[in-house]
Amino acid sequence: MADELELLRRANPVSPGDPRFHDRPLDQHAERRLSHLLYGERPRRLRRWVCSVGTAAAAGAVVLALTLSGPTTTPAVAAPRPLLIEAGSTAVPLDRLADRADASDSALPPRQGTHVQTWSLSMTSGPGARPPVTLPEERVVRWKADGSHTELVVATDPRHPGKPVITDADPVPRTVEDGHVLSRLTYPPSWSDAPPRARPPHDARRLRAYLAEIDRTGPLDTPHLLDAVSQLLDNWTLGTRETAALARVLADAKGLRPAGAVTDRLGRHGQAYVYDDTGRSGRRMLILDPATGAVLGLEDTVTKAAPEYGVKAGDVMSYRAWMR
């Protein structure tokens, strides 16, 4: 037994003197994982689907393992239709939108925390598999000066996708309209100097490095960049200067092409920028405010049918809409 313990100690890749792993309060991700383990809390969101439909089937796994509650629960609603580019609309190049963001005379500061609506497609396969369903949620995270924060998660009415149901701007949101509260949590003070918890920089070069720190699963190509942007906006509501810096970073992204005007699920007018992820049989649409360059939403659709999962080409896989 002593020899086996010694082998385990030698296999430990963390040095005992590493300050990152000293006893300290858990960050929000660790707290959510712990809460899920202890109380069975359903995970808030899923990481972007990273397998192609073909590799998902080959893996024989539930790619997006997300269910409503128990085994007898009825699916809520079929997947929403993808957003459509307005016919005849002008596609504004990203660098021009970045110029507009740079020229803004607004001085809004960044704010830690977020207000976001999400939809995520649930897929199962095999005998008795359920049809794919979307699970609409709305989440508000507010941080306080002492480092503590609150998180309110609400299941939104699938009959009215996109209608905001959390209407109270109080630091501890309380008002919910037409939604079912899934969780209302308060977290003790905690701090982190690592992205995405660290304050985002407001120049493009440093912001790109910041985003690269968020997603280390590979080089910061366009798919990884969009993943990192999503995580950033799930933690911060950007200010004017940070928004301009992000628009400049996005303007340099390879393969992110202007597609035209679009109205998102919150009724906001935006400019759509599309990335065709052919390696994963998907299309990603980033929606930006045409006046300020702020990111409004991100939609993922599948471009190849997978009958074994009940998925058709053009189905929405996920959608996120960020609000200020």
Side-chain angles (χ1 to χ4, degrees):
M1 176 64 75
D3 291 340
E4 292 169 347
L5 287 174
E6 182 59 26
L7 286 173
L8 287 173
R9 292 189 185 101
R10 291 178 181 177
N12 184 2
V14 179
S15 166
D18 193 327
R20 295 174 298 172
F21 297 92
H22 287 176
D23 289 340
R24 61 181 179 179
L26 299 176
D27 63 25
Q28 70 181 89
H29 302 294
E31 287 170 342
R32 289 190 64 84
R33 288 177 183 270
L34 179 60
S35 178
H36 174 59
L37 289 171
L38 293 175
Y39 309 113
E41 178 195 15
R42 181 162 57 83
R44 179 183 68 248
R45 65 178 291 259
L46 294 169
R47 184 171 178 78
R48 182 180 67 89
W49 57 294
V50 294
C51 301
S52 68
V53 172
T55 56
V62 179
V63 181
L64 298 178
L66 194 60
T67 57
L68 286 172
S69 58
T72 61
T73 305
T74 302
V77 65
R81 294 182 178 182
L83 297 175
L84 297 177
I85 305 299
E86 297 175 11
S89 61
T90 301
V92 179
L94 260 170
D95 56 355
R96 190 182 305 169
L97 208 60
D99 290 341
R100 292 180 187 174
D102 282 331
S104 174
D105 57 2
S106 173
L108 288 173
R111 184 180 72 240
Q112 193 170 17
T114 190
H115 185 178
V116 59
Q117 281 201 7
T118 67
W119 297 260
S120 298
L121 184 65
S122 169
M123 296 193 303
T124 60
S125 65
R130 295 175 179 174
V133 296
T134 48
L135 306 172
E137 289 185 357
E138 185 170 342
R139 180 169 57 95
V140 172
V141 178
R142 303 289 190 207
W143 284 77
K144 301 179 182 179
D146 65 357
S148 64
H149 67 282
T150 62
E151 181 183 67
L152 173 61
V153 182
V154 172
T156 56
D157 188 339
R159 295 168 298 180
H160 304 287
K163 177 186 176 184
V165 298
I166 304 175
T167 58
D168 195 347
D170 187 88
V172 183
R174 295 184 179 88
T175 303
V176 176
E177 297 180 357
D178 302 322
H180 172 67
V181 175
L182 297 177
S183 64
R184 192 192 299 267
L185 303 173
T186 299
Y187 294 94
S190 62
W191 295 268
S192 173
D193 59 359
R197 291 283 293 278
R199 184 186 179 101
H202 52 255
D203 70 83
R205 181 184 61 82
R206 291 174 55 215
L207 182 58
R208 180 176 176 81
Y210 177 103
L211 293 168
E213 284 289 311
I214 291 178
D215 192 326
R216 296 186 177 185
T217 58
L220 196 65
D221 55 12
T222 301
H224 287 95
L225 173 62
L226 295 177
D227 286 344
V229 168
S230 183
Q231 290 191 57
L232 168 62
L233 298 177
D234 280 350
N235 284 270
W236 287 86
T237 301
L238 300 185
T240 305
R241 298 173 68 188
E242 294 77 17
T243 293
L246 180 56
R248 190 64 63 189
V249 171
L250 292 168
D252 293 334
K254 304 294 184 184
L256 191 58
R257 57 182 176 83
V262 68
T263 301
D264 78 354
R265 289 181 175 83
L266 298 179
R268 301 173 298 184
H269 297 292
Q271 276 287 321
Y273 299 88
V274 171
Y275 179 78
D276 294 311
D277 196 348
T278 55
R280 298 184 176 94
S281 300
R283 187 188 78 155
R284 313 194 72 184
M285 180 190 289
L286 188 71
I287 303 164
L288 272 64
D289 186 304
T292 67
V295 175
L296 302 179
L298 180 64
E299 178 184 82
D300 287 359
T301 57
V302 64
T303 57
K304 182 179 179 181
E308 64 272 34
Y309 290 97
V311 174
K312 304 182 297 296
D315 280 351
V316 176
M317 300 295 292
S318 67
Y319 184 82
R320 308 184 74 74
W322 292 281
M323 296 164 270
R324 186 163 184 89

